[in-house]
RNA sequence: GCGGCCAUGGUGGAACAGGUAGACACAAGGGACUUAAAAUCCCUCGGCAGAUAAUGCCGUCCCGGUUCGACUCCGGGUGGCCGCACCA
């Protein structure tokens, strides 16, 4: 089969607009990227990029993410693996509802239109995706299985209900997401946000804390930074929880206050007690007007940890006192304080200002005593305290602990507290249970029925999926499901009396916590097909933005384990290899009024930027992450139209390492486009040369070329294995630069040129697949497609060098360089180095103190 | 605020595991070809001194340390980015 399309007419010209759609059609018709059937004999590779939210258009971040994934997928295929490379849509979420409110378009219609558009854009990139496995999370065929999984989790006790707070906009009468709260006010209404308590669904991720911690350490193919972030997020801490006797304002004995601490050694430095605003005592004291006002003021800070920790430390005296367990007649004031987290530990602490920064700030503000109990030698000298001391040292001012180090003191105190029957060793995790209820329409309905008589009743499996009603409007405030009486009312499956549906929908993180497993097989009857997940999972290489390092990845890890516990699959860790890519940035432009201007409306003249249409002078801002709000986005489809997908792919891979942020520049794209043209020209020229079949051979040049071929192949193979695509591109620049110089008069053996061209096209295959296919169809004739070619073997004898260059340093600075045999012995090497003319002149008559030879690396002479 | 990461010429970056700093590109400047332009090709390109040489000194955000030797390791800063549990 001759796949020649344009080569006949074009030959030396490069027409991406013609060859790219052509090859995309061929790949699709031939199902080139459909994986082979499951077979344990064949090594599998599951390559996955985080699926996109269908916001309307792909952006450069997507191009980068999916190009990286595509290079890996195509490369693994060439290496002989059975590759699974699917794609789907994270299709539920807030922006669809916002569009419904703003543009009066139904979320479903808006979402599917976006999917259609973005799918076409992704296809134009020439991605090697098996589109037969496409998933949209808003499709009932997907979420019915999710509802089944939830019911299984509920049955297994993994899902439960409890009260928790949400941000409430009293004007719009709607629940706000954290990002919709700006400076404590609703983003649309501007009304001060209140907190409202709702009963919501949770998943017990906290009981998986220890496993999540143990397993993350073992994930070898994950970036260390992501592993560290997850470890810190889970936040294991060991300490002791114990009770203080507590007395109320009338000095009557009250219920004891239980505290958790990781620093029991500082107990003798305790000078106050802090409790959270939700502590039982706080709730009782709400009767007091001042305390009530204080608690309400604290609630205005917001629900995010960031807001709470940034807020000034404040508290109010309760009049309650606690009794120190080891100091006779010592009582500490109990404060309600805004920095005590109710969800962590017991919601109460003893404050030791000398050795905890937050306690220190609090104590300074309220004139509370500061007693140092840990002293280090250096610290002893400075008496003035301007911050808490958290380092090592010996215990002072601490009765029976004096003189001990911190660890000894901890043990001793804990022992004593346990003896007094007041304390227990305890392990705490920072990780909280996962709240999954959302008071929104555009999400997966939670398959639960609330019956006055029977309570919480799961929707029977045969009634799944619970679909969303279509006839909703977004004019009324609040969740449209809540006000949809007809959809809500249902008869109880148990008692047949009138009941109501759960009107909350799932957090969209649920949708993305198992899609990668669903891709293994779109089983019609059950969420997951065991034999398919056994074969394909875990994902061998998962690729996505660093912003998902904690939440999405942690939830998916937990969810996978929960799926195992409920019998849906057999593994507990979903992602074997993880790669986090950097962001795509662009310069920002503003006019005099401060309006943001799109880069496409900007022209540059003499280093100044002007508006293309109005001609006004614009202010060039710093390069920042592309975002719609600052309009510094570049629509990749414009670039694909102008230069072609291969150029766009080449450009996003070049220069910057993939884990680092990249800065978009138009000139860079043009340069990439020029070089792609040069590659095409080189392919055509070399092909002509091959057809001439040179017989008068220059052996030296032939071997030289073959060495270049194999060295390049060797380096590029290593770089692809380590995902260093920028280095791959640099080597291709060099390689093309070399082979484009070959001329007939070099008399190089045709086989060697053949090898050059064949290597070039196969190496280009993962990066610029259309160009590679077109070139292969010209060169490879009847040898099939380039995407079916195996990765060539490297001939070791061609990459080995017998001579090496060795720099000679004097006192650590390079002064000369020699070329020596690789296997030279050290004494000979020493002799050569010392007799080197320029080295001699440097040493002069100075005494040689030391001579260091690092084999095959460097010689350093110390004088 | 807490946790994590990053910083190398005018620009993006390279430097394998502590061993030649600046590969490969972009921009800029010069030249060739052309009536001209575009395209293409060639040359220069960290700073200072020197002659546009040879060569020397300085130089990887700042300060200090370890080492024969530090872009790389350690301590302390500065700046930027990401996350902080209801954005996805």
């Amino acid at each position: 089969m001759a796949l020649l399309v344009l080569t006949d007419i074009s030959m030396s010209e490069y027409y991406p607009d013609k060859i790219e759609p052509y090859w995309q059609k061929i790949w699709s018709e031939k199902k080139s990227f459909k994986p082979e059937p499951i077979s344990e004999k064949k090594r599998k590779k599951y390559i996955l990029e985080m699926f996109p939210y269908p916001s309307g258009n792909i952006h450069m971040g997507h191009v980068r993410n999916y190009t990286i994934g595509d290079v890996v997928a195509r490369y693994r295929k060439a290496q002989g693996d059975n590759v699974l490379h699917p794609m789907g849509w994270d299709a539920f979420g807030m922006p669809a509802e916002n569009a419904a409110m703003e543009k009066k378009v139904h979320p479903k219609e808006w979402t599917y239109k976006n999917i259609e558009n973005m799918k076409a854009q992704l296809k134009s990139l020439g991605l090697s995706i098996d589109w037969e496995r496409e998933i949209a999370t808003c499709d009932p065929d997907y979420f019915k299985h999710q509802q089944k999984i939830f019911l299984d989790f509920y049955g297994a006790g993994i899902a439960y209900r409890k009260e928790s707070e949400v941000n409430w906009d009293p004007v719009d009468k709607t629940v706000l997401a954290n990002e919709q709260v700006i400076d404590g006010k609703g983003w649309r209404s501007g009304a001060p946000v209140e907190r409202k308590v709702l009963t919501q669904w949770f998943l017990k991720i906290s009981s998986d804390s220890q496993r999540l911690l143990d397993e993350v350490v073992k994930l070898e193919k994950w970036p260390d930074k992501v592993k560290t972030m997850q470890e810190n997020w889970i936040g294991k801490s060991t300490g002791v929880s114990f009770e203080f006797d507590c007395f109320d304002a009338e000095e009557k004995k009250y219920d004891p206050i239980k505290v958790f601490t990781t620093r029991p050694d500082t107990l003798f430095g305790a000078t106050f007690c802090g409790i959270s605003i939700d502590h039982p005592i706080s709730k009782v004291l709400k009767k007091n007007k001042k305390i009530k006002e204080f608690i309400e003021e604290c609630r205005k800070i917001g629900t995010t940890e960031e807001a709470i920790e940034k807020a000034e430390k404040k508290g109010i005296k309760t009049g309650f006192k606690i009794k120190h367990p080891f100091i006779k007649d010592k009582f500490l004031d109990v404060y309600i304080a805004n920095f005590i987290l109710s969800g962590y530990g017991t919601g109460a602490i003893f404050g030791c200002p000398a050795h905890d920064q937050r306690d220190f700030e609090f104590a300074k503000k309220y004139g509370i005593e500061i007693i140092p109990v840990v002293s280090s030698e250096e610290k002893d000298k400075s008496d003035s305290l301007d911050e808490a001391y958290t380092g090592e040292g010996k215990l002072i001012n601490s009765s029976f602990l004096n003189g001990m180090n911190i660890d000894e003191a901890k043990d001793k105190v804990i022992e004593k507290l346990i003896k007094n029957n007041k304390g227990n060793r305890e392990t705490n995790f920072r990780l909280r249970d996962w709240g999954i209820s959302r008071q929104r329409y555009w999400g997966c309905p939670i398959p639960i029925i609330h019956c006055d008589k029977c309570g919480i009743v799961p929707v029977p499996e045969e009634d799944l999926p619970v679909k969303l009603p279509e006839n909703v409007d977004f004019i009324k405030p609040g969740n449209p499901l809540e006000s949809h009486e007809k959809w809500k009312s249902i008869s109880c499956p148990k008692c047949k009396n009138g009941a109501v549906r759960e009107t909350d929908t799932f957090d969209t993180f649920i949708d993305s916590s198992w899609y990668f497993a669903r891709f293994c097989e779109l089983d019609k009857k059950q969420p997951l097909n065991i034999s398919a997940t056994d074969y394909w999972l875990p994902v061998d290489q998962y690729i996505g933005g660093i912003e998902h390092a904690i939440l999405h990845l942690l939830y998916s890890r937990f969810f996978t384990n929960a799926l195992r516990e409920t019998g849906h699959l057999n593994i507990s860790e979903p992602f074997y290899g993880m790669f986090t890519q950097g962001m795509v940035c662009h310069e920002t432009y503003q006019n005099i009024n401060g309006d943001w201007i799109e880069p496409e409306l900007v022209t540059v003249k003499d280093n100044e930027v002007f508006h293309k249409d109005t001609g006004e002078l614009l202010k060039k801002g710093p390069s920042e992450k592309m975002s719609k709000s600052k309009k510094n986005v570049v629509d990749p489809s414009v670039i694909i139209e102008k230069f072609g997908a291969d150029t766009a792919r080449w450009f996003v891979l070049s220069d910057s390492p993939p884990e680092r942020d990249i800065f978009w520049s138009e000139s860079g794209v043009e340069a990439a486009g020029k070089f792609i043209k040069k590659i095409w020209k080189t392919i055509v020229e070399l092909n002509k040369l091959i057809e001439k079949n040179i017989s008068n051979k220059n052996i030296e040049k032939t071997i030289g070329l073959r060495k270049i071929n194999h060295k390049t192949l060797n380096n590029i193979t290593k770089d692809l294995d380590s995902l260093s695509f920028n280095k791959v591109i640099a080597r291709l620049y060099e390689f093309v630069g070399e082979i484009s110089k070959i001329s007939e008069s070099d008399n190089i053996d045709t086989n060697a040129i053949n090898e050059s061209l064949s290597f070039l096209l196969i190496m280009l295959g993962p990066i610029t697949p259309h160009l590679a296919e077109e070139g292969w169809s010209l060169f490879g004739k009847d040898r099939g497609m380039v995407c079916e070619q195996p990765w060539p073997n490297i001939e070791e004898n061609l990459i080995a060098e017998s001579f090496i260059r060795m720099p000679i340093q004097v006192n650590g600075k390079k002064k000369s360089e020699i070329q020596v045999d690789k296997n030279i012995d050290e004494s000979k090497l020493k002799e050569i180095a010392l007799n080197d003319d320029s080295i001699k002149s440097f040493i002069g008559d100075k005494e040689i103190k030391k001579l260091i030879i690092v084999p095959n690396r460097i010689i350093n002479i110390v004088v």
Side-chain angles (χ1 to χ4, degrees):
Chain A
M1 175 184 59
L3 289 167
L4 298 185
V5 254
L6 300 154
T7 40
D8 297 331
I9 52 159
S10 64
M11 286 312 276
S12 58
E13 284 300 312
Y14 172 62
Y15 296 105
D17 52 330
K18 298 213 175 80
I19 66 169
E20 290 181 354
Y22 174 81
W23 288 106
Q24 286 158 18
K25 198 167 144 248
I26 299 282
W27 292 326
S28 164
E29 281 170 8
K30 294 187 60 132
K31 302 191 185 214
S32 298
F33 307 114
K34 188 184 167 123
E36 290 167 44
I38 292 171
S39 151
E40 294 303 331
K41 280 180 218 137
K42 183 118 190 189
R43 188 177 56 187
K44 67 90 185 177
K45 276 279 174 345
Y46 183 0
I47 312 299
L48 183 70
E49 302 96 63
M50 290 178 183
F51 64 166
Y53 178 78
S55 56
N57 284 297
I58 61 167
H59 53 70
M60 288 316 306
H62 291 124
V63 174
R64 194 177 194 200
N65 193 180
Y66 301 136
T67 301
I68 291 170
D70 199 46
V71 173
V72 177
R74 286 175 180 268
Y75 170 63
R76 289 320 316 176
K77 185 172 156 68
Q79 285 284 16
D81 299 333
N82 188 17
V83 171
L84 173 60
H85 187 213
M87 181 58 73
W89 309 96
D90 189 12
F92 275 134
M94 275 199 326
E97 289 192 26
N98 294 336
M101 279 180 255
E102 281 155 21
K103 295 171 193 155
K104 308 260 179 288
V105 51
H106 194 280
K108 183 176 172 182
E109 193 189 322
W110 183 84
T111 302
Y112 276 99
K113 218 179 136 189
N114 288 347
I115 287 176
E116 193 190 347
N117 192 36
M118 286 174 72
K119 188 173 170 182
Q121 290 177 326
L122 288 185
K123 284 195 164 180
S124 75
L125 275 174
L127 306 176
S128 64
I129 281 164
D130 177 15
W131 285 102
E132 287 179 19
R133 291 173 195 252
E134 185 179 356
I135 284 171
T137 56
C138 64
D139 182 349
D141 278 344
Y142 180 78
F143 71 65
K144 74 176 175 199
H145 299 298
Q146 187 163 302
Q147 291 172 339
K148 160 80 171 116
I149 290 169
F150 172 78
L151 294 178
D152 289 348
F153 283 7
Y154 179 59
I158 298 166
Y160 70 101
R161 296 216 311 162
K162 71 169 179 186
E163 281 191 343
S164 80
E165 288 177 330
V166 292
N167 298 309
W168 178 254
D169 187 319
V171 173
D172 279 352
K173 301 219 182 321
T174 185
V175 175
L176 297 174
N178 284 336
E179 70 155 12
Q180 294 174 320
V181 180
I182 295 154
D183 296 330
K185 294 181 180 110
W187 67 329
R188 283 189 216 275
S189 71
V193 171
E194 296 171 2
R195 288 202 215 169
K196 192 175 174 180
V197 175
L198 296 176
T199 302
Q200 307 196 76
W201 286 97
F202 282 79
L203 295 185
K204 274 191 191 163
I205 189 172
S206 67
S207 50
D208 199 22
S209 299
Q210 190 63 54
R211 186 201 65 86
L212 287 167
L213 198 58
D214 293 341
E215 301 277 328
V216 79
V217 181
K218 294 189 225 151
L219 295 169
E220 282 172 25
K221 301 278 180 181
W222 277 43
D224 286 338
K225 58 178 170 184
V226 175
K227 290 159 65 166
T228 312
M229 278 193 255
Q230 291 213 353
E231 280 177 56
N232 292 337
W233 184 261
I234 295 165
K236 183 177 181 173
S237 55
T238 52
V240 58
S241 75
F242 63 96
E243 288 179 350
F244 282 103
D245 289 334
C246 176
F247 299 88
D248 68 12
E250 279 87 49
E251 301 193 357
K252 276 200 303 204
K253 204 160 186 187
Y254 198 78
D255 296 340
I257 292 180
K258 193 177 181 188
V259 300
F260 172 76
T261 179
T262 57
R263 291 294 304 273
D265 54 300
T266 63
L267 186 51
F268 284 92
T271 51
F272 72 97
C273 168
I275 60 173
S276 78
I277 56 170
D278 298 308
H279 195 274
I281 291 177
S282 306
K283 282 182 180 161
V284 170
L285 291 177
K286 262 192 188 167
K287 282 176 283 184
N288 179 310
K289 202 183 155 206
K290 274 198 175 154
I291 287 179
K292 194 178 173 201
E293 275 170 11
F294 175 75
I295 291 175
E296 271 165 17
E297 196 195 312
C298 290
R299 288 205 192 284
K300 281 183 193 153
I301 294 172
T303 54
T304 69
E305 203 168 293
E306 183 188 0
I308 292 166
E309 291 208 15
K310 268 189 188 162
E312 190 193 350
K313 314 271 170 291
K314 277 185 185 171
I316 188 166
K317 253 190 198 175
T318 57
F320 280 51
K321 286 181 192 301
I322 56 166
K323 188 177 181 302
H324 196 285
F326 301 129
I327 306 176
K328 214 182 160 209
D329 296 330
K330 175 145 187 174
F331 290 86
L332 312 176
D333 285 322
V334 177
Y335 289 77
I336 299 173
N338 64 358
F339 64 98
I340 313 294
L341 303 170
S342 32
Y344 182 72
T346 58
I349 58 132
F350 71 77
C352 176
H355 306 290
D356 181 286
Q357 188 57 28
R358 287 173 303 183
D359 296 350
F360 180 84
E361 283 169 39
F362 189 78
K364 278 266 164 170
K365 188 176 170 82
Y366 293 100
I368 300 168
E369 194 184 2
I370 299 171
I371 307 173
V373 289
V374 179
S375 162
S376 75
E377 272 152 40
E378 313 94 76
K379 236 214 98 252
D380 248 358
K381 286 163 191 132
S382 69
D383 261 2
S384 67
L385 264 174
D386 45 14
E387 59 180 8
Y389 176 72
T390 53
E392 288 294 325
K394 293 253 187 272
L395 271 285
I396 53 166
N397 301 329
S398 296
S399 166
F400 59 91
L401 301 177
N402 283 341
M404 294 182 183
N405 66 34
I406 291 175
D407 285 336
E408 287 168 350
K410 275 183 183 173
D411 279 343
K412 195 82 193 168
V413 168
I414 293 173
E415 211 176 278
K416 210 150 185 186
L417 285 167
I418 293 171
K419 232 182 211 169
N420 288 2
N421 227 357
K422 288 194 172 173
N424 276 308
R425 279 181 195 273
E426 227 171 72
T427 300
N428 252 293
F429 292 93
R430 208 183 72 96
L431 182 62
R432 309 195 295 257
D433 275 344
W434 174 12
I436 54 167
S437 293
R438 296 292 180 272
Q439 295 68 39
R440 298 217 189 91
Y441 168 76
W442 194 236
C444 171
I446 299 177
I448 289 290
I449 290 160
H450 297 280
C451 172
D452 283 344
K453 211 166 132 196
C454 313
I456 292 163
V457 183
V459 172
E461 234 181 282
E462 59 272 22
D463 293 344
L464 298 182
V466 178
K467 290 188 188 171
L468 290 165
E470 303 235 347
N471 56 333
V472 285
D473 68 61
F474 291 85
I475 296 159
K476 266 181 274 176
N479 179 2
L481 295 180
E482 182 73 46
S483 51
H484 201 297
E485 292 303 328
K486 202 177 155 202
W487 180 83
K488 246 168 84 175
S489 61
I490 186 168
S491 64
C492 171
K494 270 191 187 163
C495 69
K496 309 295 172 201
N497 285 328
V500 288
R501 287 190 187 282
E502 168 76 53
T503 56
D504 285 354
T505 50
F506 284 131
D507 174 10
T508 54
F509 272 126
I510 298 253
D511 308 343
S512 55
S513 287
W514 72 287
Y515 77 108
F516 47 84
R518 177 76 186 156
F519 274 139
C520 297
E521 169 88 53
L522 304 184
D523 198 309
K524 286 207 166 73
K525 295 200 181 107
Q526 51 182 348
L528 300 172
N529 176 300
I530 289 270
S531 57
T533 53
D534 276 351
Y535 177 70
W536 287 114
L537 289 179
V539 174
D540 293 277
Q541 185 64 67
Y542 195 34
I543 302 158
I546 183 70
E547 67 271 24
H548 295 291
I550 297 173
L551 292 181
H552 163 60
L553 292 177
L554 196 66
Y555 288 148
S556 296
R557 293 181 56 218
F558 155 71
F559 210 86
T560 301
N561 190 52
L563 285 168
R564 187 184 58 78
E565 285 177 352
T566 48
H568 287 282
L569 45 67
N570 291 317
I571 58 157
S572 54
E573 285 295 331
F575 311 123
Y576 171 73
M578 181 67 223
F579 185 82
T580 49
Q581 113 230 359
M583 289 169 306
V584 181
C585 303
H586 197 285
E587 280 166 346
T588 47
Y589 308 103
Q590 275 176 293
N591 64 16
I592 291 165
N593 304 327
D595 303 323
W596 300 100
I597 307 294
E598 289 93 334
E600 59 187 76
L601 297 175
V602 171
T603 60
V604 184
K605 229 183 259 169
D606 304 330
N607 263 332
E608 297 206 272
V609 286
F610 299 91
H611 196 290
K612 231 176 222 173
D613 303 332
T614 65
E616 63 183 315
L617 181 68
L618 302 173
K619 194 185 147 212
K620 189 161 83 176
S623 203
E624 291 182 56
K625 172 180 165 181
M626 285 190 182
S627 76
K628 274 188 177 170
S629 60
K630 287 185 181 169
K631 294 194 178 173
N632 60 337
V633 286
V634 172
D635 184 352
S637 56
V638 175
I639 287 145
I640 295 166
E641 256 171 57
K642 199 168 164 192
F643 299 100
D646 284 339
T647 297
R649 293 170 63 116
W650 179 276
F651 178 68
V652 295
L653 295 175
S654 60
D655 290 345
S656 292
E659 67 275 10
R660 223 188 273 185
D661 294 349
I662 59 172
F663 297 88
W664 189 262
S665 93
E666 215 43 59
S667 58
V669 190
E670 267 166 38
K674 276 185 201 171
F675 192 74
I676 296 288
K677 277 188 191 162
K678 180 176 173 170
I679 297 177
W680 178 248
K681 208 177 125 195
T682 304
I683 293 167
V684 173
E685 293 301 318
L686 286 185
N687 201 53
K688 280 185 197 157
L689 214 53
I690 289 165
E691 279 167 0
K692 284 186 181 152
N693 206 358
I694 290 155
S695 53
N696 177 20
K697 289 158 198 169
N698 179 328
I699 291 174
E700 202 180 312
K701 282 193 177 175
T702 299
I703 290 177
L705 180 61
R706 291 207 66 212
K707 280 190 168 180
I708 291 170
N709 293 344
H710 284 266
K711 277 183 182 168
T712 303
L713 177 68
N714 182 42
N715 286 329
I716 287 184
T717 304
K718 280 188 200 155
D719 292 338
L720 284 171
D721 286 333
S722 64
L723 310 177
S724 306
F725 307 114
N726 55 321
K727 290 191 233 168
V728 174
I729 300 287
R731 295 193 202 285
L732 285 170
Y733 270 113
E734 269 176 304
F735 186 57
V736 173
E738 289 287 342
I739 63 174
S740 63
K741 283 188 221 147
I742 300 170
S743 73
E744 198 176 341
S745 60
D746 288 326
N747 288 321
I748 292 172
D749 190 324
T750 302
N751 288 326
I753 302 175
N754 229 310
E755 187 180 69
S756 297
L757 189 49
S758 157
F759 281 15
L760 174 67
L761 292 166
I762 291 171
M763 291 186 296
L764 284 171
I767 294 157
T768 55
H770 313 87
L771 172 66
E773 288 293 359
E774 187 68 14
W776 191 264
S777 74
L778 177 68
F779 160 77
K781 302 291 186 288
D782 295 325
R783 284 189 275 166
M785 294 166 74
V786 79
C787 69
E788 293 162 348
Q789 301 305 312
W791 200 251
N793 291 319
I794 298 152
E795 288 181 29
E796 294 295 332
N797 62 320
L798 288 170
I799 60 172
E801 282 291 357
S802 53
F803 283 94
I804 49 162
R805 291 159 62 204
M806 271 186 98
I808 307 172
Q809 295 179 330
V810 177
N811 290 339
K813 289 191 177 172
K814 183 193 163 192
K815 296 297 177 193
S816 184
E817 188 176 275
I818 50 172
Q819 192 165 46
V820 292
D821 191 280
K822 206 175 179 180
N823 301 313
I824 191 166
D825 61 88
E826 282 201 9
S827 60
K828 191 89 183 282
L829 193 60
K830 201 168 160 181
E831 194 191 318
I832 296 170
L834 291 172
N835 283 314
D836 184 276
D837 284 344
S838 70
I839 293 301
K840 267 201 223 155
S841 72
F842 267 102
I843 298 171
D845 45 9
K846 282 171 219 141
E847 185 198 347
I848 295 167
K849 286 188 184 160
K850 210 168 174 184
L851 200 144
I852 296 147
I853 295 176
V854 184
N856 296 337
R857 274 273 162 96
I858 205 159
I859 302 160
N860 190 14
I861 302 163
V862 187
V863 297

